[in-house]
Amino acid sequence: MPLLDLDLYRKEIAVSEKPLVRLNVIDAGPPNAERALFFIHGFGGYAMQWEQQLAAFAEKNRVVAPDLRGHGLSDKPATRYDIGEIIGDIERLDTELKLPNNFILFGHSFGGAIAVSYALKHPERVAKLVLVSTSIDFELNPLLKLVFRVPAALAEPIRARFPKNLAAPAHVLQAMYHNAMAQWDGRELLPHISVPTLVILGERDLVFKKGAYDAVADAIPKAQVAKIPAAAHLVHLERAEAVNRAITRFIHAESVSWREGRTPARTERLVNQRPWLKHYDAGVPFTLAYPSQPLFRFLEISARRYPKHRALVFYDRALSYRELDQIVNRFANALLALGVKKGDRVALLLPNSPQMVIAYYGALKAGAVVVSMNPLFNADELLHQLSDSGAETIVALSIYSELIQSVRANTQLKRVVLTNISEYFSPLRRVLFSAQRERFQEHRLDLKNERDTFAFQQLLARASHDSPNVEVVPDDLALIQYSSGTVDQPKGVMLTHANLVANTVQLRHWLADAEEGREVILAVLPFSHSYGMTACMNLGIAIAATLILLPTFSTREVLETIARYHPTLFSAVPTMYVAINNYPGVRRFGLKSIRACVSGAAPLPLEVQEAFQKLTRGKLVEGYGLTEASPATHANPVYGDCQTGTIGLPLPDTDAKIVDLHTGEDLPPDAIGELAVRGPQVMRGYWNHPEETAQWLRDGWLFTGDVARMDEDGYFQIIDRKKDMILAGAYNVYPRDVEEVLYENPKVLEAAVTGTPVGNGAQAVKAYVVLKKGEMATSEEFIEFARQRLAEYAVPKRVEFREQLPKTFVGKVFKRKLVEEEKP
């Protein structure tokens, strides 16, 4: 996978209203870069013909390359395509993209003629000019001239067979040739160029005479010339490195040889500041260029690259990427028709299903803010988050209709959209489901007598599948995701498109061997939780993976799904891996298709990790994140130096440190303190909680509330939640230390440790244990087991056996409920 996927940096800019003309533009590199480079392709070309130059210069410069009107992915209206019209488009791009006061302008072939015309009209905007394979004029031989007189209807079928050579339809090429190219005379214009100019020439060409290229440099006062042995017209493609060296010398006005390039000095400096970098897997970059795009652009790109590839599989029904993108557009347009405006909150009360993916990306395309909710909510929890977020629209399964109606009067809800779980079943499964409808009356979709309530499929049927014309920018709020509330009451975390895009790109590069369009992801982690949303849904869409959707976790169903669909990637939580490890006859399902797994949301016990890796022969590594960071901040190297018992290393562009629990001062390696992180994935703040925002976000650092340590190599280990720490007399006890010991007992299926009050502010250690099926044990047996491995103050004073532990809907042990049960 290339380090810079230029398609991720595409955006659409409207350059004309009547008719509506939108240009597709690549806009990459640091948005605050001091220097901007603007690339114009030639006649019949497209922006990606500059791919080698864009990738080479995007690290330190802002690089912009449009598909000109009528070309590539831009609109193709029936207009004049003369120089004035094309220059007008570039002027509009200059304004809309907010380019710096002056920039370096590049032109290839006839794009060079366009660049010259722009530079003559706006010399104050062009710092330097680079002309590649540009001719003094564009006089064609008589045979080629005749081609441009063939009626467009006859010429187009022939042209369509060569889309890479002529990336514009016949009506565009004919108009542009007659009204622009044939009219342009460099002999008259080039002598008036006043900005520093570099002319890059090849040696031979089949399109125009060699003298026509050489004459360009002769005509421009003080032009610099770089001659490179290659076909003149394709020099920047055939000899990209040589062309890039010439450009670098010209830009910096200094000599640059192939030996200079990227030296180890910068790498050494980075590693000295961030020791974890030297342990990154090969192919994982230290720093990334993040697309200045809204999150839904990933879906649009995957739909364009892999239109027929399966995007979603829901039981036995599949949707292709083209189908998914069109349905998402329909839903976005349906929301707009209902009156949803940019910035409005749209709540989603949906399990993993096609409707969840459609509603999520559709709301974002409409410019709305998604409020993702737990499908297991009771009325009080639903009421709190609807009221707190101010959501005016909710999309939900019909099974939740009565629950919504019970709280609706006390919320700001204006519209309810209901969908039936069976709507994306295969026809056969839908018939079987309908035959059992009497058993599932709560699933019925009956909108009679319900005001402002709409059927999901009816809305889609009436809406256009065209992309909605709503401007969404990276800094726009995309998501209000409520924290899990395992230790505190949930708060709304504000995440922007830029936050979510950054975390998706970070994970995409962390899985360095992930193959675009070839991965299969088992998606049983709830998309309504930030972990499942980013690590499964957003990542999967970004790499054009096939997402196998399961609405709930059932061990046997998961194993049967693995056996049928052979997923390659499987992110989950430790309790899911525990269930799979201990399922009777698990090996007969065949789990060896699974190549890589990341465990998150809770500590991964070593025993669980090792057992799962033996089953699958794949890699299971522990990572770390929190809702406030979109959520991932750390992970162990998937194929490299994985340190068991740690959360691994900070992701690219993520800084992390350990600070004193009381003073907040930075601590040295191996000291225990609070983990603080910063990076492009860190939230904007808490919704309606400015005081809490100021408490947890300080000087760009997010204080996580987790107690941790960092070793000298930069590996981080979570000791426990700061608020879970047990004050056992004069000692601090961290529950995870005790839980790791309990998991070593072969009778244990699950374990959790909390503190129980014993008076005077002191606490005693208490363990909750779930035994494996058929096992029996006593409290004394476990206390003695722990005493052999732990200091006396950390040994549980009480052991309570349970059939199951309370969990959040993502499968994380809900310790707050255990603690509340102990309160008098």
Side-chain angles (χ1 to χ4, degrees), residues 198-226:
L198 170 67
V199 178
I200 298 179
L201 303 172
E203 290 188 333
R204 57 195 180 278
D205 191 63
L206 299 176
V207 181
F208 302 108
K209 296 177 181 178
K210 186 176 183 299
Y213 293 104
D214 294 338
V216 172
D218 296 336
I220 299 174
K222 300 181 180 179
Q224 298 183 38
V225 179

Side-chain angles (χ1 to χ4, degrees), residues 532-734:
M533 182 185 300
T534 295
C536 294
M537 181 169 65
N538 292 340
L539 174 63
I541 294 294
I543 62 174
T546 297
L547 296 174
I548 312 299
L549 307 181
L550 289 177
T552 58
F553 180 85
S554 164
T555 310
R556 184 174 183 86
E557 184 176 46
V558 166
L559 291 172
E560 289 175 343
T561 301
I562 293 172
R564 179 176 181 183
Y565 291 106
H566 310 294
T568 57
L569 305 175
F570 175 36
S571 291
V573 296
T575 53
M576 294 178 181
Y577 296 122
V578 168
I580 291 172
N581 288 347
N582 290 281
Y583 192 83
V586 61
R587 292 184 183 277
R588 73 176 186 272
F589 292 95
L591 308 183
K592 293 181 182 178
S593 66
I594 297 174
R595 189 176 75 253
C597 305
V598 178
S599 177
L604 175 67
L606 176 59
E607 296 290 326
V608 176
Q609 180 184 27
E610 291 179 346
F612 189 82
Q613 289 188 148
K614 287 180 182 177
L615 282 175
T616 63
R617 307 280 180 88
K619 295 292 186 179
L620 170 58
V621 299
E622 183 172 357
Y624 169 85
L626 62 168
T627 306
E628 290 84 348
S630 304
T633 65
H634 292 67
N636 267 282
V638 178
Y639 300 106
D641 190 7
C642 175
Q643 293 290 321
T644 55
T646 76
I647 58 171
L649 314 167
L651 299 178
D653 298 311
T654 304
D655 283 326
K657 63 181 180 179
I658 305 298
V659 301
D660 188 273
L661 291 170
H662 304 291
T663 67
E665 297 294 321
D666 292 2
L667 294 176
D670 292 322
I672 293 177
E674 182 176 359
L675 172 64
V677 298
R678 69 178 177 188
Q681 71 272 50
V682 170
M683 67 173 179
R684 176 181 292 175
Y686 291 114
W687 178 261
N688 292 334
H689 286 280
E691 299 85 3
E692 297 263 16
T693 299
Q695 177 185 349
W696 293 96
L697 271 181
R698 304 197 293 272
D699 298 325
W701 289 92
L702 171 64
F703 288 75
T704 66
D706 282 319
V707 180
R709 68 158 63 91
M710 181 190 81
D711 67 18
E712 291 186 351
D713 288 323
Y715 284 83
F716 286 75
Q717 179 186 27
I718 296 294
I719 309 299
D720 233 306
R721 288 291 298 172
K722 190 175 177 180
K723 293 187 177 181
D724 283 347
M725 188 170 62
I726 301 168
L727 303 175
Y731 300 98
N732 293 334
V733 176
Y734 299 103

Side-chain angles (χ1 to χ4, degrees), residues 399 432-444:
I399 194 174
L432 295 174
F433 183 79
S434 298
Q436 301 180 56
R437 187 66 62 86
E438 288 188 7
R439 292 177 55 197
F440 301 103
Q441 280 299 307
E442 66 272 21
H443 285 280
R444 70 189 186 282

Side-chain angles (χ1 to χ4, degrees), residues 377-521:
F377 271 169
N378 59 36
D380 289 340
E381 292 168 324
L382 179 62
L383 175 61
H384 168 69
Q385 291 192 13
L386 285 174
S387 300
D388 185 65
S389 66
E392 296 181 346
T393 305
I394 188 169
V395 187
L397 285 186
S398 53
I399 194 174
Y400 304 125
S401 177
E402 291 185 6
L403 176 65
I404 294 168
Q405 293 305 321
S406 71
V407 302
R408 184 171 183 175
N410 297 314
T411 70
Q412 299 179 43
L413 284 178
K414 294 180 179 178
R415 51 193 81 86
V416 176
V417 179
L418 295 179
T419 179
N420 190 292
I421 190 66
S422 67
E423 289 172 5
Y424 287 93
F425 286 173
S426 68
L428 177 60
R429 185 178 288 269
R430 197 178 307 131
V431 168
L432 295 174
F433 183 79
S434 298
Q436 301 180 56
R437 187 66 62 86
E438 288 188 7
R439 292 177 55 197
F440 301 103
Q441 280 299 307
E442 66 272 21
H443 285 280
R444 70 189 186 282
L445 186 58
D446 184 2
L447 306 184
K448 295 178 181 178
N449 303 318
E450 294 189 13
R451 60 182 177 84
D452 296 320
T453 302
F454 307 91
F456 189 83
Q457 293 300 326
Q458 290 178 8
L459 292 177
L460 294 180
R462 295 196 295 262
S464 167
H465 67 255
D466 293 335
S467 180
N469 188 21
V470 178
E471 183 183 10
V472 181
V473 300
D475 286 338
D476 284 343
L477 191 61
L479 178 70
I480 298 175
Q481 181 73 40
Y482 283 83
S483 55
S484 62
T486 52
V487 294
D488 282 321
Q489 289 299 322
K491 298 182 290 293
V493 173
M494 295 188 290
L495 297 171
T496 65
H497 283 268
N499 293 148
L500 297 171
V501 165
N503 210 211
T504 301
V505 172
Q506 288 168 328
L507 292 178
R508 179 181 185 177
H509 284 84
W510 197 256
L511 293 167
D513 69 337
E515 293 188 70
E516 190 175 275
R518 298 179 66 90
E519 304 296 344
V520 179
I521 295 178

